Amino acid sequence: MAKASEFENHCWKDMFSKELIEQSSIYVRDTLVGDKPGLLLVDLYNFVYDGGNRPVHEVEKEYSLACGEYAWNAIEPTKRLIAAARAAKIPIIYSTRKVDTGATVSTKSQKRRPRKPDAYDIWPDFAPQPGDTIVYKERASVFYGTPMIAKLNHLGVRSLIVCGESTSGCVRNTVQDAYMNGYHVSIVEECTYDRNIVCHKVNLFDMHHKYADVMNVDEVIAHLNGLAGQLALAKAG
């Protein structure tokens, strides 16, 4: 749990004036991971890493919608987060798409290059393991038009730890739908990213003040380590 005094201690601090921060002070609270959490990894598929660990404006010349350095910077913290979730034995849920079906509505100006056959496979560092859940979606939200709620009910999940991409798109839509369906949501800052750093910071700020608790990866891992410790004590007893 993070105390209310640390509520604004996040990546957006350089984006907002003191006056705007004060204007949002009605939302200040302790932040936490909710009861019976599941880890939701939003759209961590191969093509967002295309072009390597370079600035987005460089990789997008060849790889449309790749997230460049922002995706690559999130790899190591996300690996740590997944490892802690596995040690705590909480459910792990992935979202992706099967293929480009043409069903997703895009802006008229959006130009997409053809995808590789494995474009929507989960990035190897985060590969699903037996017992994990994969939800296939056609729209931004993992909840829209999918059996997400039924799967969460089956898994006994009552709150969500969320990370992935993009902050302003699929993550935001998923977080809002989770909130609307009564789930407590914790967003892991270092494991969430966007092609546009301004959109990333502004959307994290907005979700933090309305729909979710934005938390640092070390805070979330500490909570998961506590759950793993409880499991070990229960097994020893």
Side-chain angles (χ1 to χ4, degrees):
M1 177 183 292
K3 296 298 183 183
S5 59
E6 294 293 307
F7 189 74
E8 302 290 358
N9 188 26
H10 293 283
C11 62
W12 57 73
K13 289 191 297 182
D14 62 343
M15 294 289 298
F16 296 93
S17 66
K18 179 181 178 181
E19 290 75 20
L20 285 174
I21 294 292
E22 290 177 350
Q23 183 178 313
S24 300
S25 62
I26 58 171
Y27 296 102
V28 172
R29 61 193 182 275
D30 292 344
T31 57
L32 50 84
V33 175
D35 293 332
K36 298 181 179 179
L39 174 60
L40 175 57
L41 304 156
V42 179
D43 296 0
L44 294 180
Y45 32 56
N46 286 335
F47 81 76
V48 299
Y49 302 92
D50 283 345
N53 188 4
R54 296 184 290 150
V56 173
H57 72 270
E58 293 182 9
V59 300
E60 70 178 356
K61 295 175 182 177
E62 186 175 356
Y63 302 101
S64 61
L65 301 185
C67 293
E69 60 188 334
Y70 302 125
W72 285 79
N73 290 343
I75 289 176
E76 289 305 317
T78 303
K79 288 167 61 176
R80 292 177 55 218
L81 178 65
I82 294 172
R86 295 202 186 284
K89 298 189 183 304
I90 68 169
I92 298 179
I93 305 105
Y94 296 80
S95 75
T96 186
R97 296 175 62 188
K98 289 185 177 178
V99 292
D100 275 316
T101 62
T104 300
V105 177
S106 302
T107 59
K108 291 182 179 179
S109 61
Q110 190 178 80
K111 297 179 181 178
R112 295 186 179 184
R113 297 176 178 86
R115 300 280 182 232
K116 299 176 184 177
D118 66 347
Y120 292 104
D121 291 352
I122 302 301
W123 182 250
D125 283 326
F126 318 132
Q129 296 184 9
D132 293 341
T133 298
I134 302 176
V135 176
Y136 295 96
K137 64 188 182 71
E138 288 289 349
R139 294 292 190 269
S141 173
V142 182
F143 286 84
Y144 188 85
T146 75
M148 180 66 170
I149 292 177
K151 289 181 180 293
L152 293 179
N153 288 340
H154 176 73
L155 294 167
V157 170
R158 295 293 176 264
S159 65
L160 288 169
I161 299 166
V162 175
C163 68
E165 62 86 26
S166 63
T167 316
S168 62
C170 295
V171 170
R172 184 185 178 101
N173 278 268
T174 296
V175 166
Q176 289 181 238
D177 276 359
Y179 172 83
M180 297 301 181
N181 281 285
Y183 295 93
H184 178 90
V185 180
S186 306
I187 305 172
V188 189
E189 180 178 327
E190 296 89 344
C191 304
T192 306
Y193 57 91
D194 199 290
R195 297 175 69 252
N196 185 316
I197 191 62
V198 174
C199 288
H200 171 70
K201 293 181 179 182
V202 170
N203 278 276
L204 278 186
F205 175 89
D206 195 54
M207 288 188 286
H208 187 56
H209 289 79
K210 296 176 181 176
Y211 308 116
D213 290 347
V214 174
M215 301 182 69
N216 298 121
V217 64
D218 288 339
E219 295 176 272
V220 177
I221 288 175
H223 180 86
L224 294 173
N225 288 345
L227 296 181
Q230 292 173 24
L231 289 174
L233 287 174
K235 186 176 181 180

